[in-house]
Amino acid sequence: MPQRFVDDMVTGVAPGMPERFFDRFMFNLHRGDATAPSIILGIGLYPPRDVADGFVVLVTETEQRNLRFATEMSALRDPTTVGALSWQVVEPSREWRIELSANPTGAELDVTWTARTPAWLGEVKVANSGEAPTAFEHLFQSGHYRGVLRVDGREHDIAGWYGQRDRSRGVRTMTGGQGLHIWCQAQFPDRCIGFLLVETRGHERMLLEGAVLHTSGELDDIVDVRHDLTFAEGDLRGGRIEVHTVGGAAYLVDADASARGGYLAGAGYGGHHGRPRGRDHVEHDVYPLDGTVTPRMLDSALTDRLTAFTWAGVAGSGIFEFALTRSSSYTYRPTLV
């Protein structure tokens, strides 16, 4: 496991750097009661390809507004600004500033994210049949926001809103064979339950990583996760997860994912990241949240759903990222019985 992660983005090509190398960050921003609006945004840098790209996903009560942008890294005047999005590492592992200028989503922000828990840091290694192996560092950390968010000119008081940051750096080529993917970040007042779970189409565990991150500074690694989830048209409605840690703690968490939106096809996750698009490329579209858009009809089933969680009578909120394979040979199977 890596012992240290450098927060600053990698902007140059180093000797021996793989052609598929990337450095990416993602932040989400949402209320503690899991109600709209919410935002997911991110930046990816691909130095060997001379590509920088990013995205913003705004989810309101009625629609999901998507912004995707890309340019050539060599054309950047400032390596901390890509398109409408700019960032600053104010204090490594502790504080970031993020600014989003006027753009087609109607969302603008000038916010500071401050850590409320330690970071979990691991390394994902997966052998891929016929492909280069996946090997990337992975970090996530829970925090709070302060600053200004405007949506369609209306200003929101975001003091205390939750935000999970996610960093990954290396080579990621995980393709084929996956049945179920879950990246869960359940925020509670004094802790965050965070993990990544991947199962094969044969219902075997491919990957499990994560920890319960406490605001007191404790980090308790997760060793087992079981689930009983409900899906409709490949879209998560809710369910229950059971999480066990190295420290012997057991968490039985209920999840209400009935709100729609968070479809990461709108963020370019359907294989578009890192592709050369020339300079100053911008795309924008809108998904109505009336049931007419589902993961099955998009070019990626991956979804970051704003979810209301309940654990031991304590209310929480967070992001439940999920994807079911669209292979006809796969049927979801619960492991919590």
Side-chain angles (χ1 to χ4, degrees):
M1 176 179 290
Q3 298 302 309
R4 182 174 178 269
F5 191 95
V6 177
D7 261 1
D8 289 331
M9 303 284 283
V10 176
T11 58
V13 180
M17 180 178 284
E19 190 275 334
R20 292 190 176 186
F21 176 89
F22 74 96
D23 192 355
R24 182 181 301 155
F25 71 73
M26 180 176 74
F27 283 83
N28 55 56
L29 181 154
H30 59 85
R31 301 178 192 270
D33 62 1
T35 57
S38 66
I39 291 180
I40 306 166
L41 54 82
I43 289 289
L45 302 182
Y46 312 81
R49 301 182 185 183
D50 192 29
V51 172
D53 59 22
F55 64 87
V56 177
V57 171
L58 167 67
V59 178
T60 72
E61 293 181 350
T62 59
E63 61 187 15
Q64 174 178 320
R65 307 177 193 175
N66 308 308
L67 178 68
R68 299 175 295 278
F69 46 91
T71 193
E72 297 169 350
M73 288 188 64
S74 57
L76 294 175
R77 296 182 179 180
D78 179 350
T80 63
T81 298
V82 179
L85 191 58
S86 55
W87 66 95
Q88 177 188 4
V89 180
V90 179
E91 182 181 346
S93 302
R94 176 65 183 171
E95 190 169 281
W96 284 55
R97 184 180 179 186
I98 302 172
E99 295 180 77
L100 178 64
S101 60
N103 66 87
T105 69
E108 300 176 57
L109 54 81
D110 183 351
V111 299
T112 297
W113 175 93
T114 303
R116 72 184 191 102
T117 72
W120 184 90
L121 175 62
E123 188 170 13
V124 176
K125 291 186 176 181
V126 179
N128 298 300
S129 177
E131 295 277 354
T134 288
F136 63 91
E137 294 178 287
H138 186 206
L139 173 150
F140 57 79
Q141 185 176 21
S142 176
H144 279 141
Y145 287 97
R146 67 180 187 274
V148 177
L149 164 66
R150 294 186 183 89
V151 178
D152 298 334
R154 177 190 173 190
E155 190 166 309
H156 295 262
D157 179 6
I158 65 164
W161 283 27
Y162 285 122
Q164 196 78 355
R165 78 174 181 118
D166 184 282
R167 289 296 311 277
S168 49
R169 175 186 293 151
V171 177
R172 184 170 189 166
T173 55
M174 294 173 67
T175 57
Q178 298 182 49
L180 172 68
H181 167 105
I182 297 174
W183 180 76
C184 179
Q185 302 295 329
Q187 310 275 5
F188 295 98
D190 66 347
R191 70 197 69 192
C192 172
I193 302 172
F195 64 85
L196 172 63
L197 172 68
V198 181
E199 296 178 358
T200 68
R201 294 176 187 173
H203 305 285
E204 297 178 348
R205 182 172 296 168
M206 180 185 296
L207 177 67
L208 173 62
E209 60 169 27
V212 178
L213 312 174
H214 294 255
T215 57
S216 63
E218 178 188 357
L219 189 154
D220 195 3
D221 283 330
I222 291 172
V223 295
D224 190 29
V225 172
R226 300 178 184 181
H227 50 82
D228 184 4
L229 305 173
T230 300
F231 295 89
E233 295 297 317
D235 209 342
L236 181 66
R237 293 293 181 261
R240 176 171 288 187
I241 54 174
E242 185 179 72
V243 175
H244 295 263
T245 71
V246 166
Y251 297 84
L252 190 60
V253 181
D254 289 299
D256 178 357
S258 57
R260 298 185 184 271
Y263 304 116
L264 291 187
Y269 276 75
H272 303 285
H273 292 163
R275 290 186 178 181
R277 301 288 182 127
R279 298 187 179 186
D280 302 324
H281 177 82
V282 179
E283 299 177 349
H284 166 62
D285 47 35
V286 177
Y287 300 157
L289 299 182
D290 57 4
T292 58
V293 175
T294 72
R296 288 186 175 177
M297 65 178 60
L298 300 170
D299 64 4
S300 173
L302 196 63
T303 303
D304 272 26
R305 178 61 45 74
L306 180 58
T307 299
F309 294 101
T310 306
W311 158 66
V314 179
S317 64
I319 299 296
F320 199 121
E321 179 180 282
F322 63 91
L324 290 178
T325 178
R326 287 173 278 197
S327 170
S328 59
S329 65
Y330 176 84
T331 301
Y332 169 74
R333 180 186 300 171
T335 58
L336 177 60
V337 294

